[in-house]
Amino acid sequence: DRLLLSSQAVAAPVIGLAWALDAGWRVATGAHLYGGTEYMWDPQWPLFTRLLSAYHVALPLLLVFALRRIGYDPRGYWLQSAIAVVAVASGRLFPPAVNLNYAYVEPLFKRTWGGPVTHVAAVAGFLVLLAYPLTHLLLLRLCPKAPA
């Protein structure tokens, strides 16, 4: 489905770039930039299992390749924005130790922004108002518009 592919193409580069930056920083300096890829160096997990995370780099490329063939649906930005708001908000249903979708502590500054509603709004707002529009604009340039 072109709309679903487009929505995931809006989010995948953001997540993939964040993952690659943290993992690359760890390789270059021995320390994590902001965390999230610590499991990659945990010998508890087999190397093959850890290397499966390379999909964070491959998936955005695959999505762009697919959308260059079938066309990008600009409604994907809106769908992914709705998904992000629900995902971050629903992360509050899990214990703070899980920090699912950074619903309790955001990854860059390792802090909580105000109360629960303010924090969820800040994290989701960053995605919807800054990160996703940038990938949306990039996809509009890289991929033909989907036929109506």
Side-chain angles (χ1 to χ4, degrees):
D1 181 359
R2 183 179 291 121
L3 177 58
L4 290 176
L5 281 175
S6 296
S7 75
Q8 294 311 289
V10 168
V14 174
I15 296 163
L17 180 61
W19 183 90
L21 283 173
D22 191 58
W25 195 268
R26 169 65 167 79
V27 168
T29 69
H32 291 277
L33 186 58
Y34 39 78
T37 62
E38 293 87 356
Y39 66 93
M40 291 293 291
W41 286 266
D42 187 346
Q44 164 191 344
W45 304 104
L47 179 61
F48 176 76
T49 303
R50 291 179 277 157
L51 290 178
L52 287 174
S53 282
Y55 85 88
H56 286 97
V57 176
L59 182 61
L61 299 173
L62 181 65
L63 288 167
V64 169
F65 174 76
L67 290 176
R68 286 184 56 82
R69 292 183 57 123
I70 67 170
Y72 172 65
D73 187 336
R75 298 175 303 159
Y77 164 74
W78 298 106
L79 176 58
Q80 185 54 40
S81 294
I83 291 169
V85 169
V86 170
V88 174
S90 65
R92 297 295 292 203
L93 300 173
F94 295 85
V98 176
N99 197 30
L100 186 66
N101 298 321
Y102 303 107
Y104 289 93
V105 178
E106 56 81 24
L108 296 178
F109 300 105
K110 307 274 195 257
R111 62 169 289 185
T112 297
W113 298 97
V117 173
T118 304
H119 180 78
V120 167
V123 172
F126 169 79
L127 294 171
V128 171
L129 300 173
L130 184 65
Y132 292 168
L134 293 174
T135 41
H136 171 69
L137 292 173
L138 182 64
L139 290 166
L140 285 172
R141 286 183 138 277
L142 291 176
C143 306
K145 189 173 179 183

